[in-house]
Amino acid sequence: MKNYIVSAFRLTLVMLAVVGVYLFVVYAGSKVLPTQGNAEIITHNGQKFYANIGQDFKSPKYFHGRPSNVDYNAAGSGGSNKGPSNKEYLDLVQKRIDTLKMQHPEMSGTEVPVELVTASGSGLDPDISEAGALYQAKRIAKERSLSEEKVEQLIASHTSKPLIELFGPAKVNVLQLNIALDQLK
């Protein structure tokens, strides 16, 4: 009996050390990041926004981000847990596609970017692809009485390229893009 207790105690100490070292490495690594492991808070028109959490933009004069299964509530992060063959999920995606095509009639022959009709695993993804932003450019230009080229230039200037042009896709932070859009005038 004594051997079991001593072995369990030793294992507990070893695991505390391993987990402690792991937590220290993760914490130290986060301090190297541009935001030093903290949320990136943006203040716009006296209101605070988290740049790394998706926001709900309903007005047609703003770019729209990915749909959210948690109504953009960061406290309840999560996906729908419905697979790609689930009838209810497929109906929801089709409804989103139909709505998007109705909002963008000028894009009828263009394929809808997948992130504009599917939610991310967390339901809080703040970014869309460059193609997703360009899909909405004509609507934004029309709503804001801007040239389409001006809107496309704004998208290009707010597109984050992949790490060393290899890792991950190019992406656009919707909140930052919409704030830049407001600052145009």
Side-chain angles (χ1 to χ4, degrees):
M1 178 80 162
K2 181 181 173 186
N3 288 341
Y4 294 123
I5 292 173
V6 170
S7 294
F9 185 69
R10 284 185 191 152
L11 181 60
T12 301
L13 290 177
V14 167
M15 290 309 296
L16 281 172
V18 168
V19 170
V21 167
Y22 170 76
L23 290 174
F24 176 76
V25 168
V26 170
Y27 177 76
S30 73
K31 294 302 173 187
V32 176
L33 298 172
T35 60
Q36 295 162 349
N38 299 318
E40 183 180 349
I41 299 174
I42 296 174
T43 304
H44 179 63
N45 292 339
Q47 208 173 2
K48 289 185 179 183
F49 298 96
Y50 290 96
N52 50 354
I53 295 177
Q55 309 288 323
D56 190 16
F57 293 97
K58 292 185 174 150
S59 171
K61 56 187 228 176
Y62 287 108
F63 286 94
H64 300 162
R66 291 188 80 161
S68 174
N69 288 318
V70 294
D71 200 28
Y72 302 97
N73 179 359
S77 170
S80 70
N81 294 330
K82 293 178 180 156
S85 62
N86 182 292
K87 175 79 170 118
E88 188 179 321
Y89 176 71
L90 293 173
D91 290 343
L92 176 63
V93 170
Q94 187 59 52
K95 181 180 170 190
R96 288 175 180 162
I97 291 171
D98 295 341
T99 301
L100 204 60
K101 285 186 174 183
M102 188 178 67
Q103 292 172 345
H104 302 90
E106 67 280 352
M107 302 298 285
S108 61
T110 308
E111 188 175 319
V112 175
V114 70
E115 78 273 3
L116 295 179
V117 293
T118 58
S120 64
S122 69
L124 301 170
D125 193 349
D127 303 317
I128 58 175
S129 69
E130 189 173 16
L134 290 171
Y135 187 88
Q136 301 176 67
K138 287 183 182 181
R139 172 181 50 89
I140 299 296
K142 181 181 172 190
E143 288 289 329
R144 294 202 175 234
S145 301
L146 297 168
S147 72
E148 197 174 327
E149 293 77 30
K150 182 76 173 167
V151 175
E152 289 173 358
Q153 288 171 356
L154 188 68
I155 292 168
S157 69
H158 283 80
T159 300
S160 301
K161 299 296 180 193
L163 182 64
I164 61 171
E165 300 292 326
L166 284 176
F167 301 106
K171 59 188 178 182
V172 181
N173 184 288
V174 178
L175 173 65
Q176 292 173 347
L177 182 60
N178 283 334
I179 289 173
L181 198 56
D182 279 346
Q183 293 170 346
L184 280 179
K185 293 198 173 199

